[in-house]
Amino acid sequence: MKIKGLVPVLVAVTLTGCQTSANVSSAAADGDGITCNRIYQAFSAYQQDRDSAVAWAQLGQLISPTAGNYANMGVETAARYYDQIKATTDIALAVRGCQPVR
């Protein structure tokens, strides 16, 4: 695989996650801590990042099938982690008396 084909995918991976990172940073800085609403906002931001990552993986597939396959592996791995994190978060939210993540 040529390095040129991999560069756009690496840039895409670097850029995805911006919404989630900004949301968590904001929650840490505002003094309210992590509330149920902040958790919901973080999961919403993460969903936007997931959508972006899928789009970038599709674009990577068009540029280079090999690069696209690597990007897809990253998206699939992130999806598995998301499912685990969501299940754990739902338990923590229930303990706090909050509704589960949608």
Side-chain angles (χ1 to χ4, degrees), residues 2-62:
K2 294 181 181 179
I3 296 296
K4 286 183 184 179
L6 187 57
V7 170
V9 174
L10 292 175
V11 169
V13 169
T14 303
L15 292 176
T16 58
C18 294
Q19 293 294 323
T20 304
S21 177
N23 190 282
V24 172
S25 295
S26 173
D30 72 5
D32 290 337
I34 305 296
T35 63
C36 295
N37 284 335
R38 285 289 190 178
I39 293 170
Y40 300 143
Q41 290 172 358
F43 272 87
S44 176
Y46 178 75
Q47 186 59 48
Q48 292 173 7
D49 290 337
R50 273 176 81 175
D51 295 343
S52 296
V54 169
W56 280 109
Q58 292 169 347
L59 180 62
Q61 191 73 36
L62 294 173

